[in-house]
Amino acid sequence: MKQNNMLAMILAGGRGSRLHELTNKVAKPAVSYGGKYRIVDFPLSNCANSGIDVVGVLTQYESVLLNSYVAAGQRWGLDTKDSGVYVLPPREKADAGLDVYRGTADAISQNIDFIDSYNPEYLLILSGDHIYKMNYAKMLDYHKEHNADATIAVIGVPIKEASRFGIMNTDETGRILEFEEKPAQPKSNLASMGIYIFNWKLLRKLLVSDMKNPDSHHDFGKDIIPTLLNDGRTLVAYQFKGYWKDVGTIDSLWEANMDLLDEKNELDLNDPTWKIYTEDVSALPQYIGPNASINRAFITQGCIVKGEVKNSVLFTGATVGEGAKVIDSVLMPGAIVEDGAVVTRALVADGIRIGKDAVVGSADSENILLVAKRVKGVE
Amino acid sequence: MQAHRPIGAFSFFGRYRVIDFPVSNMTNSGMDRIYVYVRERPRSLTEHLGTGRHYNINSKRGRLQIMFSEKSLVNDVYNTDIADYAENLDIISRSHYPYVIIAPSYMIFKQDFSALLDTHIESGADVTLLYHKVDNAREKFLNCDVLNLNKQKGVLSIEKNRGNTKDRSIFMDTYVMSKDLFIELVVQAQRLSSMYTLPQILNLNCENLDVRGVAHRGYFATITDFKSYYDANLSLLDLKQAQDLFDEEWPIYTRTTDSCPTQYFAGSDVHNSVIANGCLVEGTVENSVIGRCCQIKKGAVVRNSVVLANSVIGEGVHIENQVVDKWAQIIHAKEVIADPDKPGYVKRDDTL
């Protein structure tokens, strides 16, 4: 942790209920994205590339897969001496019973002892359910330059969407004057990304008193940030420019995957200077059959494409049979589309089989169809 | 291609190196003490093998060791496998394992070595040799050794394939024997002649030792020259062959480069090909193997070719029957077409 004296905590505890069956058995950060990644690979890789080598991952809901996945720190190069990825589920303590994390701030509060053992000067809080690339070391530089007590990363959103977000109103220097959660009349278009840097000593004090407050929601946005503002502390907004996508619904997860097909995709996973690391899988390079037809697609190792693939993303080991058509769709790892089947505007979950000649989804559907159960073929 | 690296380090089938096959076979078989012998241009190979961790070798109990040996500049006849072993005999004798399994780094095949070892021990043989029956030995495998077997699969002799018969048992340069016998043979070879190779010294001992052959089944390719390298890569475009060699239960490990999935743009036209990750495909690819992070630009046509990693096939460029080495860029030359029987080679780092 010597590099920048900053420890990162990824909040990965959410249910992700709007992803339905995709999160039936796994936490949202473990959900697949982009052909070969899991959502949590993004904050973890960003940390590794930013020189942050101690990362705590706060998990809660259905965390077995996520726990074992992130524990292998070497996947992101977070395995040098004194570094690592630490899974932090709720635990029973000597002076308190086993309790769930009651809010984003509470998750940190319950792990004060973990953070103290590293004694960092700064604490970086990240959410585990966004797709983006960011250099947190640059954000820390900004935080130090402004002598801030806390820095919040913000991104410009279209003003007509601003009411969906926590909006920051700032002065010309970037100092935050006001913070409004989902305002009906937004005064600015700078939305909080849920990424914060705090001076640890100060935050620690606030968390300790917040824990004792029975009226608190124990939430950063609802409690900690407003308290800092009211106390006259220096909060600054760090403007992020780049691709940033929430993948909390089936539609937005599908959209985020489709964005990868753009010629000028802002996310640019191909950039060798900022690689996104993930679990290394032993699989053959993708095989494209003699009668295959591919038009705008993002395909990874282990895939076998014998049919038509158009405007689609195929994840590891997905297969498309002879005469089958996959259009405007996302096939998650191991999804099988048998001969002659047609899949349109759908997101097919891990390992799901679409039977021979079956027809799934339609071109003019308003929402994306989530296929999470086997579809029988046509007899 | 050998100008830059030994055959074991050759890129193969998009994302592998030839050495991945013998090493993965060994680690999948539960062998965790592996010695890799290298004589020249070791950089690519050592970089690729590293500590061997990605082959699933146990980090505490296992070890992948690279054994260098000095290449003789005086006379190439001195550069034999026996010489490599002799130079490292002290390490071999100190090891506490009773058996030695030797596998080649220039052949592609899948083999469970622990099953082979069991067969060897059960048979009571002194030496077990792995072979593959072929019926095209007149035209292929001309640089390989062949076994002459009797009806009980006992090995009568080992000799070079002179291409005079089509049906042959090709020796896969794979041996199982006790460590002590191995050391004896190495010492004997050195005493008799500096030119002797292990197959030759074994051949000399076929009468007084119990040498048996065990047949190998499944995909098998040898990479002994440029054409066989080209053919081996393209032979795996047959999905059935590829699925025979690459088994989910018997993974072939390699070093990851963390490349992202491959992007196909509108207008790309790909058939009967295998493409590694990290590529950007805008053009046409047919019957070809494309390595990692290659760019096939708009209007480019790649046919019957093997394109190694990080290469660029520029706009409107047409290549056929080529092996394009890493980092090459074919941009200005618009047509690079070779005879199907004599595939061409584009040098590493070259710009055409």
Side-chain angles (χ1 to χ4, degrees):
Chain A
M1 210 188 48
K2 292 193 193 89
Q3 263 199 58
N4 36 31
N5 224 332
M6 179 158 74
L7 189 154
M9 296 287 256
I10 301 179
L11 300 169
R15 163 80 164 88
S17 47
R18 291 172 301 159
L19 287 176
H20 310 291
E21 286 97 326
L22 289 182
T23 48
N24 260 356
K25 286 280 161 229
V26 299
K28 183 167 155 191
V31 169
S32 300
Y33 166 78
K36 63 178 270 195
Y37 308 97
R38 290 189 194 266
I39 294 171
V40 75
D41 288 327
F42 285 81
L44 280 174
S45 301
N46 286 340
C47 282
N49 290 335
S50 302
I52 298 170
D53 49 17
V54 178
V55 183
V57 181
L58 299 154
T59 66
Q60 181 162 266
Y61 170 77
E62 277 290 11
S63 54
V64 172
L65 177 69
L66 188 63
N67 286 355
S68 58
Y69 182 72
V70 302
Q74 73 272 13
R75 291 192 176 128
W76 304 275
L78 293 164
D79 61 341
T80 52
K81 222 165 184 299
D82 300 329
S83 80
V85 185
Y86 301 95
V87 175
L88 302 165
R91 53 200 152 101
E92 193 171 354
K93 296 192 175 131
D95 54 352
L98 177 65
D99 207 354
V100 295
Y101 290 141
R102 298 171 290 168
T104 53
D106 186 50
I108 306 294
S109 303
Q110 287 199 39
N111 286 289
I112 286 178
D113 52 352
F114 168 78
I115 301 170
D116 279 347
S117 72
Y118 286 94
N119 197 21
E121 210 179 318
Y122 307 99
L123 191 71
L124 170 70
I125 311 278
L126 304 168
S127 86
D129 42 33
H130 290 94
I131 302 294
Y132 66 104
K133 286 185 182 183
M134 188 192 238
N135 188 341
Y136 305 126
K138 290 209 173 121
M139 184 176 166
L140 181 61
D141 287 341
Y142 185 88
H143 175 85
K144 289 186 198 170
E145 268 162 33
H146 286 72
N147 281 321
D149 295 305
T151 298
I152 304 178
V154 296
I155 187 168
V157 296
I159 204 83
K160 57 184 171 68
E161 312 232 347
S163 323
R164 296 200 289 129
F165 298 92
I167 297 293
M168 304 283 158
N169 304 324
T170 60
D171 67 14
E172 334 74 56
T173 67
R175 173 117 189 231
I176 297 175
L177 305 166
E178 205 185 345
F179 167 48
E180 291 185 298
E181 187 72 62
K182 297 194 178 38
Q185 317 279 4
K187 292 187 201 139
S188 98
N189 73 333
L190 296 177
S192 164
M193 295 169 76
I195 299 173
Y196 317 104
I197 291 182
F198 294 99
N199 294 338
W200 172 236
K201 277 200 182 49
L202 173 60
L203 178 65
R204 193 188 189 288
K205 254 193 254 151
L206 287 178
L207 291 175
V208 167
S209 69
D210 176 83
M211 279 210 287
K212 301 190 189 121
N213 180 356
D215 300 320
S216 170
H217 290 97
H218 310 295
D219 181 271
F220 278 106
K222 295 196 179 94
D223 307 292
I224 305 295
I225 305 290
T227 306
L228 283 167
L229 280 172
N230 290 339
D231 286 352
R233 294 289 178 180
T234 310
L235 273 71
V236 295
Y238 173 74
Q239 271 225 278
F240 171 74
K241 285 185 182 49
Y243 184 91
W244 181 69
K245 193 103 180 185
D246 179 281
V247 285
T249 63
I250 296 294
D251 281 7
S252 61
L253 178 61
W254 178 90
E255 270 167 36
N257 276 291
M258 288 294 130
D259 286 344
L260 295 166
L261 301 176
D262 284 343
E263 285 203 24
K264 304 267 177 300
N265 176 28
E266 232 186 323
L267 186 61
D268 195 11
L269 292 174
N270 233 317
D271 179 3
T273 64
W274 202 270
K275 283 195 176 159
I276 301 298
Y277 305 104
T278 187
E279 179 179 14
D280 183 26
V281 163
S282 287
L284 280 173
Q286 54 205 261
Y287 170 79
I288 313 296
N291 302 319
S293 163
I294 304 180
N295 188 348
R296 279 188 97 242
F298 201 65
I299 306 182
T300 191
Q301 274 173 252
C303 289
I304 299 178
V305 178
K306 297 184 181 171
E308 182 183 334
V309 173
K310 187 169 162 189
N311 299 330
S312 298
V313 179
L314 268 53
F315 289 45
T316 309
T319 61
V320 178
E322 292 275 357
K325 291 200 219 294
V326 175
I327 300 167
D328 299 329
S329 296
V330 172
L331 299 187
M332 294 229 147
I336 302 171
V337 177
E338 290 190 9
D339 294 356
V342 179
V343 178
T344 315
R345 273 178 75 74
L347 192 143
V348 183
D350 301 46
I352 295 297
R353 181 182 286 268
I354 311 271
K356 216 157 164 295
D357 298 322
V359 175
V360 161
S362 77
D364 45 17
S365 65
E366 195 191 325
N367 296 105
I368 300 303
L369 177 67
L370 169 64
V371 184
K373 269 218 267 291
R374 180 178 164 182
V375 176
K376 280 230 295 256
V378 173
E379 300 307 316
Chain B
M1 289 186 74
Q2 271 179 303
H4 190 85
R5 71 293 245 185
I7 297 181
F10 279 15
S11 294
F12 186 77
F13 206 52
R15 66 184 295 260
Y16 302 96
R17 290 199 193 239
V18 179
I19 196 83
D20 293 332
F21 293 87
V23 179
S24 300
N25 281 335
M26 288 184 176
T27 59
N28 287 338
S29 303
M31 295 163 66
D32 50 20
R33 253 308 165 139
I34 301 177
Y35 299 99
V36 179
Y37 291 83
V38 184
R39 200 186 302 123
E40 49 190 341
R41 283 178 283 272
R43 195 191 77 186
S44 317
L45 199 63
T46 42
E47 197 183 291
H48 182 75
L49 290 173
T51 57
R53 190 77 183 87
H54 49 279
Y55 295 103
N56 218 18
I57 291 185
N58 186 291
S59 54
K60 277 288 178 191
R61 287 191 301 277
R63 188 103 178 272
L64 183 133
Q65 212 167 336
I66 301 181
M67 315 277 259
F68 294 102
S69 44
E70 281 298 326
K71 179 176 174 168
S72 167
L73 297 168
V74 173
N75 194 329
D76 202 36
V77 299
Y78 292 123
N79 294 321
T80 60
D81 51 355
I82 296 285
D84 294 342
Y85 302 139
E87 204 167 315
N88 295 288
L89 217 51
D90 56 338
I91 299 181
I92 299 168
S93 6
R94 269 203 294 273
S95 121
H96 60 272
Y97 293 88
Y99 291 100
V100 152
I101 296 186
I102 304 177
S105 63
Y106 67 99
M107 295 190 183
I108 311 276
F109 60 91
K110 178 178 86 189
Q111 177 66 37
D112 182 345
F113 288 125
S114 80
L116 188 63
L117 178 62
D118 288 342
T119 305
H120 170 80
I121 296 173
E122 263 169 46
S123 72
D126 292 314
V127 182
T128 295
L129 304 178
L130 192 64
Y131 70 90
H132 192 100
K133 268 182 89 81
V134 304
D135 59 5
N136 55 353
R138 257 204 254 266
E139 310 88 38
K140 303 257 173 186
F141 307 106
L142 292 170
N143 304 332
C144 300
D145 287 321
V146 294
L147 302 180
N148 292 318
L149 303 157
N150 63 22
K151 279 213 175 58
Q152 296 81 32
K153 301 265 178 56
V155 178
L156 302 166
S157 63
I158 307 170
E159 55 173 349
K160 279 256 171 281
N161 178 17
R162 293 181 218 292
N164 47 359
T165 317
K166 71 175 182 69
D167 294 304
R168 281 299 206 173
S169 297
I170 306 294
F171 177 41
M172 293 169 77
D173 283 14
T174 300
Y175 318 69
V176 185
M177 64 183 96
S178 75
K179 187 191 81 175
D180 293 333
L181 178 58
F182 173 64
I183 295 175
E184 254 181 66
L185 288 170
V186 172
V187 169
Q188 187 191 17
Q190 284 192 297
R191 249 190 311 113
L192 287 177
S193 162
S194 304
M195 277 178 66
Y196 268 150
T197 62
L198 188 56
Q200 286 171 334
I201 198 70
L202 207 49
N203 184 41
L204 228 64
N205 284 288
C206 271
E207 282 185 14
N208 48 308
L209 286 179
D210 183 0
V211 185
R212 311 257 183 107
V214 168
H216 169 268
R217 283 181 186 81
Y219 182 86
F220 169 56
T222 60
I223 303 196
T224 50
D225 58 8
F226 182 70
K227 182 77 173 30
S228 55
Y229 172 74
Y230 173 79
D231 287 339
N233 273 281
L234 295 188
S235 72
L236 288 167
L237 289 179
D238 178 341
L239 188 59
K240 280 211 172 46
Q241 297 253 50
Q243 286 176 328
D244 176 72
L245 178 64
F246 295 96
D247 186 349
E248 246 179 61
E249 305 292 305
W250 201 261
I252 304 297
Y253 302 104
T254 191
R255 182 175 280 282
T256 184
T257 54
D258 301 303
S259 312
C260 71
T262 281
Q263 190 165 359
Y264 296 85
F265 295 88
S268 64
D269 190 19
V270 182
H271 299 281
N272 203 43
S273 295
V274 161
I275 321 263
N277 271 6
C279 291
L280 298 168
V281 182
E282 295 176 82
T284 301
V285 180
E286 260 175 44
N287 303 326
S288 298
V289 175
I290 311 290
R292 290 167 171 140
C293 305
C294 286
Q295 294 183 51
I296 314 290
K297 299 253 187 214
K298 222 196 286 216
V301 175
V302 177
R303 269 202 198 102
N304 308 328
S305 295
V306 180
V307 180
L308 271 51
N310 300 105
S311 298
V312 177
I313 311 298
E315 281 191 29
V317 170
H318 184 158
I319 74 167
E320 259 184 61
N321 309 317
Q322 303 290 324
V323 172
V324 180
D325 211 334
K326 287 187 183 176
W327 300 102
Q329 299 191 60
I330 308 184
I331 324 177
H332 309 294
K334 290 303 177 188
E335 265 195 21
V336 187
I337 302 181
D339 199 354
D341 295 318
K342 282 201 76 184
Y345 171 66
V346 178
K347 285 193 288 205
R348 186 186 166 98
D349 263 314
D350 212 0
T351 303
L352 286 185

